Amino acid sequence: MAADAPFNFVPVEASLGKCDNLLLQYFLNQFRKGYIRAGPHKVVLPVYHLNFAKALDDMEIRNEDVFVVSHPKTGTTWTQEMVWCIANDLDYEGAKQFLPERFPFLEHSSLFDYGDLLSRKPEITFPEYVTDSVKFISELPSPRFIKTHIPWELLPRQIREGTRSPKIIYVARNAKDTCVSYYHHSRLMEGYKGNFQDFCKLFLEDSLTFSPFWSHVMSFWNRRDQPNILFLKYEDMKKDLPSVIRKTADFLGKTLNDEQVETLADHLSFQNMKNNKAVNYEAVVEINKAHNLIDADGAFMRSGKVGEWKAVMTPELSDLFDHWTEKNLAGTGLAL
Ligand code: A3P
């Protein structure tokens, strides 16, 4: 193992979980060369994480930093756009810049692992926020806006140890809808080749990137009363976006009048986000398709609904998720 960080990195092959065979069968490709597990909850990460794990752990955090943290597919992009617009005094002109440039993805240094892809496809050029996201972020002026899917236990050391207190907005979503969304995303953006049933097994058995789902959510739910942490739910954003906007503005120390809240809620509507090239990742999907990197169809802004799992999960599968959810939420005070 390359990285010298205190996380007990273990290759997935050396710590086989019940479903890791499915992960290795259907989810190894040009984007994913292998997997490791890290930390006390054995978080699954792509092996390329080792290339920047130490830099990430050592990263200088600033108290003015604003993080959006989430498990994949829980409304991260939606929350990022809301947070950025509020923190930047509703600068809709500035919001036309591509979201990953103004709100980069912390652990996106994936191209460390794309060497052969780069030589096979020299015509594709990648910006630094993709090739070396940790460095890119380190050099940004304050206030920095940073997206990450890393759970608390693997965040940069200064955050874990409390020597810096950046603002952290965590967004959570119902496990079944998260899984359905993650399945489509994995096919469209990351080359997963298995079927939906196997993907659900991987999700339930904590064998997908950024699994385990529940320890991820709990690592922030259990810290929700810290003054620098705001815990949001996708379902609340769907039910009453203006209230969530007000709550987030309050957390960020901003005041918005009713008209501003209404305008922002409109900017953040699913339809407007779906049509907004700055946030809809259309360009990434197009590059993947144009270069035959992916053969699945669809859009990043897929359906944006609560309860879509009902259309695709059998009653048996739904029961499995319900029992799993009940078991993990018992006594936590969280309903999701
Ligand atoms: P679906 O796949 O269920 O449609 P993330 O940003 O964490 O990857 O999450 C993506 C999910 O959030 C997708 O869910 C996407 O459609 C949904 N989403 C993004 N913007 C949204 C919006 N404005 N309203 C509702 N859902 C939104």
Side-chain angles (χ1 to χ4, degrees):
M1 299 272 99
D4 167 27
F7 299 128
N8 295 322
F9 292 112
V10 180
V12 153
E13 293 82 344
S15 64
L16 274 184
K18 229 165 143 182
C19 281
D20 288 352
N21 58 330
L22 295 176
L23 181 71
L24 301 175
Q25 186 177 350
Y26 295 126
F27 221 154
L28 284 182
N29 54 45
Q30 59 208 338
F31 303 105
R32 296 289 173 76
K33 298 284 166 56
Y35 296 91
I36 51 167
R37 286 204 161 81
H41 291 111
K42 305 202 180 339
V43 177
V44 178
L45 296 167
V47 73
Y48 61 67
H49 190 90
L50 291 173
N51 291 309
F52 53 87
K54 175 144 177 32
L56 196 150
D57 193 40
D58 290 345
M59 196 174 151
E60 279 295 323
I61 300 299
R62 308 175 198 158
N63 286 333
E64 318 84 78
D65 290 340
V66 179
F67 281 76
V68 164
V69 188
S70 61
H71 182 282
K73 308 320 289 175
T74 57
T76 324
T77 314
W78 195 11
T79 307
Q80 283 177 274
E81 184 66 355
M82 173 178 72
V83 165
W84 193 92
C85 288
I86 295 172
N88 287 281
D89 301 316
L90 308 184
D91 177 8
Y92 295 117
E93 207 39 50
K96 289 184 178 159
Q97 186 185 11
F98 191 35
L99 183 67
E101 288 168 19
R102 51 192 163 90
F103 212 133
F105 185 13
L106 179 59
E107 63 278 18
H108 202 185
S109 296
S110 42
L111 292 186
F112 274 119
D113 212 36
Y114 287 8
D116 59 332
L117 177 62
L118 289 178
S119 50
R120 276 190 295 121
K121 302 271 181 189
E123 65 279 20
I124 316 181
T125 53
F126 296 94
E128 195 183 36
Y129 61 83
V130 174
T131 55
D132 194 347
S133 49
V134 174
K135 176 164 173 282
F136 177 80
I137 289 169
S138 301
E139 292 167 359
L140 283 178
S142 289
R144 300 182 297 185
F145 297 89
I146 303 169
K147 158 191 164 179
T148 181
H149 291 316
I150 293 179
W152 178 271
E153 70 204 71
L154 303 176
L155 282 177
R157 190 171 57 248
Q158 291 181 342
I159 301 181
R160 298 196 318 274
E161 293 181 350
T163 53
R164 295 285 190 285
S165 298
K167 287 201 158 57
I168 297 177
I169 295 106
Y170 186 84
V171 59
R173 186 181 190 184
N174 168 275
K176 293 179 189 172
D177 282 332
T178 301
C179 179
V180 173
S181 183
Y182 203 8
Y183 166 67
H184 287 286
H185 175 99
S186 298
R187 283 169 47 82
L188 183 67
M189 316 282 280
E190 286 162 4
Y192 171 72
K193 293 275 188 252
N195 63 25
F196 178 61
Q197 276 64 34
D198 284 336
F199 194 86
C200 289
K201 282 186 201 156
L202 286 162
F203 196 93
L204 289 164
E205 292 293 341
D206 302 330
S207 286
L208 286 164
T209 303
F210 300 110
S211 287
F213 179 76
W214 288 117
S215 64
H216 200 298
V217 176
M218 283 305 149
S219 70
F220 292 89
W221 174 251
N222 291 336
R223 292 179 171 83
R224 68 194 180 282
D225 293 332
Q226 275 184 214
N228 65 322
I229 293 185
L230 178 68
F231 189 97
L232 301 178
K233 293 185 202 170
Y234 179 94
E235 290 74 15
D236 292 341
M237 292 171 74
K238 285 292 295 184
K239 198 157 82 188
D240 187 356
L241 186 56
S243 292
V244 177
I245 290 174
R246 284 195 191 89
K247 192 166 148 183
T248 307
D250 204 33
F251 176 72
L252 293 170
K254 298 282 182 180
T255 310
L256 299 177
N257 64 33
D258 289 351
E259 195 189 329
Q260 288 171 318
V261 171
E262 204 180 308
T263 316
L264 179 56
D266 183 56
H267 175 77
L268 296 171
S269 72
F270 181 71
Q271 214 43 48
N272 283 340
M273 296 261 307
K274 192 173 172 63
N275 293 331
N276 180 353
K277 283 187 190 306
V279 300
N280 66 14
Y281 290 99
E282 210 174 272
V284 179
V285 174
E286 275 165 16
I287 289 177
N288 284 343
K289 283 189 186 151
H291 294 279
N292 295 320
L293 302 178
I294 293 282
D295 58 13
D297 255 337
F300 180 92
M301 296 291 170
R302 198 179 57 91
S303 78
K305 292 187 186 138
V306 171
E308 272 253 305
W309 60 266
K310 290 177 192 147
V312 287
M313 285 194 187
T314 60
E316 295 74 27
L317 186 54
S318 166
D319 280 352
L320 279 179
F321 268 88
D322 289 345
H323 291 138
W324 185 62
T325 299
E326 271 165 37
K327 189 176 93 194
N328 281 284
L329 290 185
T332 65
L334 176 64
L336 203 58

